[in-house]
């Protein structure tokens, strides 16, 4: 939208006027005594205690309930590389979702750099102010290196939501879809269309959750990923761990005989390719706003359909995952987020609707108040089980 078409009377712009969030005090400041306790001279005693025992920062500051929502503006929603200032409304939105669904305070941080070294250095320098780092809307493949390096450097959770939030909810949805169809995850043949941040994470999460890697085929814009191609980085890893049959070709070949399609590419998939799937299968077409396969088209050939949209059943929405994941990680004072914690989050999401499954309700509503507490409890337990909890 150009500035010439901006309409201040539009409800969207009215809602965003002045921003969607603000800082509020949690303590009274109505007397001289209040001031002496909250600020000088009283605050000096707390500072000295933390200097002597740095772990006390969790007890006596906001660190235990606050995360940074960090972006470089390079892959914002479906808008692409729009930069840090234009990304800020999205990061504010993410922050209010954290607060609404899990009581987690979040601070939007939009960085005016897309250099990996600078992003890592900046976030490392900011980290003492936060209990966790939520990376957001950073383009692939840089996002993989940013997350890996921060995860290695910091002793607080680092989580790239575009990867892992999506992957967690996809695993939850697939668990319930398989249950509904009386299938086992390990027996499903899965095709993943898209090998960017979400596609790579979804593939790894499904395998961690019980899908047989030999039964997985991943496609990028050039076709099926496998050892027949010269690849580097994460795609080379996928080539070594998936596509055991050595399939070649495009998405049509990948879908031939598949039980499951997970679309995270944004590219359109023809109906004839979907028709080549095993009857009674599953399609998750998650591109927004236009799914890879229209839900009505997919429903002609498969039993369960999910999208990333709110106007169709079975919305695969990251808000089912990230608030509870961080709430649980913060509650356990986890030093990182493990695969076990992510799988536990997926199991908790699936469990919320396990007793009421239908083909139109394999995941909870994003507004279901049961989700975040269930995810938080499961993630905290998994953190302790995986040995990364400090509490």
């Amino acid at each position: 939208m150009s500035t010439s078409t901006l309409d201040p009377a539009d409800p969207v712009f009215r809602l965003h006027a002045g921003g969607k969030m603000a800082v509020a005090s949690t303590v009274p400041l109505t007397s001289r005594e209040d001031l002496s306790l909250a600020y000088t001279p009283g605050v000096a005693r707390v500072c000295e205690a933390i200097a002597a025992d740095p772990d006390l920062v969790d007890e006596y500051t906001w660190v235990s309930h606050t995360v940074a929502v960090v972006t470089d503006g390079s892959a914002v929603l479906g808008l692409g590389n729009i930069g840090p200032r234009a990304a800020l409304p999205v990061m504010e939105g993410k922050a209010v979702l954290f607060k609404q669904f899990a009581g987690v305070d979040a601070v939007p941080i939009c960085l005016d750099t897309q250099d990996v070294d600078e992003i890592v250095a900046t976030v490392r320098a900011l980290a003492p102010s936060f209990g966790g780092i939520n990376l957001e809307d950073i383009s692939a493949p840089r996002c993989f290196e940013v997350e890996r390096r921060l995860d290695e450097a910091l002793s607080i959770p680092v989580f790239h939501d575009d990867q892992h939030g999506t992957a967690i909810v996809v695993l939850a949805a697939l668990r319930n879809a398989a249950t509904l169809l009386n299938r086992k995850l390990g027996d499903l043949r899965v095709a993943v269309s898209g090998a960017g941040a979400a596609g790579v994470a979804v593939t790894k999460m499904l395998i961690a959750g019980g899908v047989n890697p030999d039964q997985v085929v991943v496609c990028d814009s050039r076709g099926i990923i496998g050892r027949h191609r010269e690849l580097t980085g994460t795609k080379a890893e996928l080539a070594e761990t998936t596509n055991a049959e050595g399939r070649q070709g495009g998405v049509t070949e990948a879908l031939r005989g598949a039980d499951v399609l997970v679309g995270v590419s944004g590219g359109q998939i023809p109906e004839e390719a979907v028709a080549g799937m095993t009857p009674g299968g599953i399609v998750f077409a998650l591109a927004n706003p236009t799914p890879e396969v229209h839900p009505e088209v997919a429903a002609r050939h498969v039993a369960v359909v999910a999208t990333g949209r709110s106007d169709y059943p079975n919305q695969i929405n990251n808000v089912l995952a990230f608030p509870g994941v961080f709430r649980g990680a913060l509650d356990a004072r986890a030093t990182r987020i493990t695969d076990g914690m992510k799988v536990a989050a997926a199991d908790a999401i699936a469990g919320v609707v396990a007793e009421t499954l239908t083909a139109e309700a394999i995941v909870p509503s994003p507004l279901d108040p049961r989700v975040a507490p269930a995810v938080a409890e499961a993630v905290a337990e998994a953190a302790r089980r995986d040995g990364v909890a400090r509490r």
Side-chain angles (χ1 to χ4, degrees):
M1 178 182 292
S2 68
T3 54
S4 62
T5 59
L6 188 156
D7 180 5
D10 184 321
V12 171
F13 284 91
R14 288 206 308 270
L15 181 143
H16 283 79
K20 298 192 289 288
M21 56 187 295
V23 174
S25 173
T26 63
V27 298
L29 291 173
T30 58
S31 68
R32 291 174 63 90
E33 183 181 7
D34 291 341
L35 289 173
S36 69
L37 292 173
Y39 199 52
T40 184
V43 71
R45 291 163 56 191
V46 180
C47 295
E48 289 172 340
I50 295 172
D53 181 1
D55 286 345
L56 291 177
V57 73
D58 293 307
E59 296 288 344
Y60 296 109
T61 74
W62 75 347
V63 161
S64 64
H65 57 86
T66 307
V67 302
V69 180
V70 179
T71 188
D72 65 356
S74 61
V76 181
L77 295 179
L79 303 174
N81 188 358
I82 60 175
R85 290 171 181 80
L88 186 53
V90 178
M91 302 310 117
E92 285 187 356
K94 201 79 172 190
V96 298
L97 293 175
F98 266 114
K99 188 66 173 181
Q100 176 68 28
F101 293 109
V104 172
D105 291 294
V107 179
I109 296 178
C110 299
L111 302 178
D112 195 11
T113 178
Q114 294 183 359
D115 178 82
V116 169
D117 291 338
E118 289 187 359
I119 293 170
V120 171
T122 302
V123 176
R124 287 184 64 179
L126 291 169
S129 294
F130 301 99
I133 306 294
N134 184 89
L135 300 174
E136 192 76 22
D137 292 348
I138 299 174
S139 63
R142 295 176 310 111
C143 61
F144 302 121
E145 185 178 359
V146 169
E147 184 185 42
R148 177 186 61 78
R149 287 172 57 178
L150 288 173
D151 198 41
E152 291 174 353
L154 302 177
S155 58
I156 57 175
V158 177
F159 184 84
H160 185 208
D161 186 51
D162 303 303
Q163 293 183 61
H164 309 302
T166 300
I168 287 167
V169 184
V170 167
L171 176 58
L174 188 58
R175 281 207 190 289
N176 279 346
T179 298
L180 188 67
L181 301 177
N182 197 28
R183 303 290 300 275
K184 295 181 179 179
L185 286 187
D187 295 334
L188 296 175
R189 298 171 66 92
V190 178
V192 178
S193 177
V200 171
V202 163
T203 302
K204 291 181 177 180
M205 181 59 59
L206 293 183
I207 292 169
V211 171
N212 183 347
D214 291 345
Q215 300 273 60
V216 177
V217 176
V218 182
C219 289
D220 64 8
S221 60
R222 295 179 57 195
I224 293 174
I225 289 174
R227 297 182 182 182
H228 60 284
R229 291 176 52 185
E230 292 186 9
L231 300 163
T232 59
T234 54
K235 290 184 181 182
E237 294 175 18
L238 290 177
E240 292 297 320
T241 55
T242 63
N243 190 19
E245 295 180 354
R247 292 194 185 197
Q248 300 184 31
V251 70
T252 299
E253 177 58 29
L255 284 174
R256 188 168 292 119
D259 301 295
V260 181
L261 162 64
V262 180
V264 281
S265 65
Q268 294 299 289
I269 297 175
E271 181 173 358
E272 53 267 29
V274 180
M277 296 177 63
T278 299
I282 301 163
V283 166
F284 296 168
L286 306 184
N288 256 324
T290 306
E292 290 86 353
V293 184
H294 193 281
E296 293 177 8
V297 173
R300 297 173 192 158
H301 305 282
V302 298
V304 178
V305 180
T307 72
R309 291 174 52 146
S310 60
D311 53 348
Y312 289 100
N314 298 324
Q315 184 187 18
I316 306 298
N317 192 321
N318 290 14
V319 77
L320 291 168
F322 70 82
V325 168
F326 270 98
R327 178 76 275 167
L330 291 170
D331 289 347
R333 294 186 184 167
T335 56
R336 56 189 297 264
I337 294 176
T338 65
D339 284 347
M341 293 161 71
K342 298 171 198 171
V343 171
D347 290 346
I349 294 167
V352 169
V353 293
E355 302 301 320
T356 57
L357 286 179
T358 68
E360 289 74 38
I362 57 170
V363 288
S365 162
L367 299 174
D368 192 320
R370 299 172 295 172
V371 175
V375 172
E377 181 179 358
V379 167
E381 289 178 0
R384 297 181 185 106
R385 188 168 56 246
D386 290 350
V388 297
R390 294 184 291 116
R391 180 180 181 180

